[in-house]
């Protein structure tokens, strides 16, 4: 079972990473409540997408054992109309964020609060699309700071994806509502961020790292007030 790591973010939240090497059939055997999950599997998913989908859910169940000694029997990960994962039918106030890319799946599970996580393969796509998701000052800062441009732009895209998931709201414009502050790029660190919703600005902190060669990871957990 390639559960790569579990990191406790707070007394009520954990971050997990899964290094995917199993077939869908092997992952099915690791998944509880198989009868409940069978109709939820995306009908058009190929073997790679099936394995990513299953690994994310196996990971969430593993994280639930870190949050509570006896997970609820009705803990089944669903997706809402936007594709965002959620956990219905539980009285434990669990919130979840899930991401997968290539051979990795990442998840944050928390009792209450807001969570967001994203993992990305480093590639040139984010740099090519920079004008569509970066504000002018963010783009200028990226051009000045990026020694490894593909890594840096992939990190910026991932950070905005995490902030988008934290907001849990449709119709957000990445370029004007998900704003990243200045930071010195390192192997791991924090990025100050601002979320603009209905004219109200809120401040957040996006943590980042490179969990494996060729990948960037970003996440945020904010406990309930």
């Amino acid at each position: 079972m390639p559960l790569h790591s579990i990191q406790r973010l707070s007394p009520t939240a954990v971050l997990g990473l899964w290094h995917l090497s199993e077939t869908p059939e092997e992952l099915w055997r690791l998944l509880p409540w198989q009868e409940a999950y069978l109709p939820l599997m995306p009908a058009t998913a190929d073997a790679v997408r099936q394995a990513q989908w299953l690994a994310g859910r196996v990971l969430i169940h593993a994280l639930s054992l870190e949050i509570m000694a006896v997970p609820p029997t009705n803990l089944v990960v669903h997706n809402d109309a936007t594709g965002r994962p959620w956990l219905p039918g539980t009285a434990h106030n669990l919130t979840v964020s899930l991401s997968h890319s290539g051979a990795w799946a990442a998840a944050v599970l928390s009792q209450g609060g807001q969570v967001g996580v994203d993992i990305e393969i480093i590639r040139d796509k984010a740099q090519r699309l920079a004008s569509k998701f970066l504000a002018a000052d963010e783009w200028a800062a990226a051009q000045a700071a990026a020694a490894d441009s593909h890594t840096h732009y992939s990190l910026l895209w991932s950070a905005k994806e995490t902030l988008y998931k934290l907001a849990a709201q449709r119709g957000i414009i990445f370029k004007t509502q998900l704003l990243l502050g200045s930071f010195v790029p390192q192997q791991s660190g924090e990025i100050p961020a601002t979320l603009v919703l209905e004219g109200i600005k809120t401040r957040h902190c996006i943590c980042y790292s490179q969990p494996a060669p060729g990948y960037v990871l970003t996440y945020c957990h904010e406990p309930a007030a």
Side-chain angles (χ1 to χ4, degrees):
M1 179 190 297
L3 177 61
H4 179 267
S5 62
I6 293 178
Q7 176 184 348
R8 185 163 288 277
L9 305 179
S10 77
T12 59
V14 287
L15 164 70
L17 290 174
W18 186 281
H19 187 213
L20 180 59
S21 62
E22 306 90 343
T23 65
E25 292 75 17
E26 291 169 330
L27 288 164
W28 269 117
R29 290 195 288 270
L30 298 175
L31 190 63
W33 320 117
Q34 296 174 10
E35 298 82 1
Y37 277 111
L38 189 59
L40 301 178
M41 166 73 78
T44 59
D46 59 18
V48 172
R49 296 290 293 175
Q50 286 182 17
Q52 291 174 332
W53 189 90
L54 289 164
R57 280 141 188 83
V58 172
L59 175 58
I60 289 172
H61 282 278
L63 295 183
S64 72
L65 297 174
E66 299 292 321
I67 292 288
M68 58 192 76
V70 182
T73 57
N74 55 356
L75 181 66
V76 175
V77 183
H78 289 249
N79 292 88
D80 65 17
T82 69
R84 185 179 295 112
W86 63 293
L87 297 166
T90 172
H92 294 272
N93 193 28
L94 293 173
T95 56
V96 63
S97 184
L98 176 63
S99 178
H100 47 69
S101 184
W104 289 87
V108 175
L109 184 65
S110 173
Q111 284 188 300
Q114 298 172 287
V115 297
V117 68
D118 185 72
I119 191 164
E120 297 284 343
I121 295 176
I122 296 170
R123 50 186 175 175
D124 66 351
K125 181 178 179 180
Q127 187 171 3
R128 289 189 284 107
L129 298 177
S131 64
K132 298 184 181 298
F133 72 90
L134 291 180
D137 60 335
E138 295 171 337
W139 197 3
Q143 290 174 314
D148 182 348
S149 57
H150 293 342
T151 298
H152 191 71
Y153 284 94
S154 296
L155 173 59
L156 297 178
W157 170 256
S158 182
K160 290 208 173 191
E161 276 286 321
T162 285
L163 192 58
Y164 172 74
K165 293 177 181 180
L166 193 77
Q169 182 172 311
R170 299 185 69 179
I172 290 176
I173 301 172
F174 278 41
K175 194 170 182 177
T176 59
Q177 293 181 267
L178 307 176
L179 305 176
L180 303 178
S182 60
F183 68 104
V184 178
Q186 303 177 75
Q187 284 293 109
S188 62
E190 298 178 348
I191 304 173
T194 301
L195 176 62
V196 184
L197 293 178
E198 299 178 354
I200 299 174
K201 297 181 179 180
T202 55
R203 308 295 182 183
H204 307 274
C205 181
I206 308 297
C207 300
Y208 69 90
S209 65
Q210 290 184 241
Y215 289 83
V216 292
L217 170 72
T218 60
Y219 62 90
C220 182
H221 165 248
E222 297 180 349

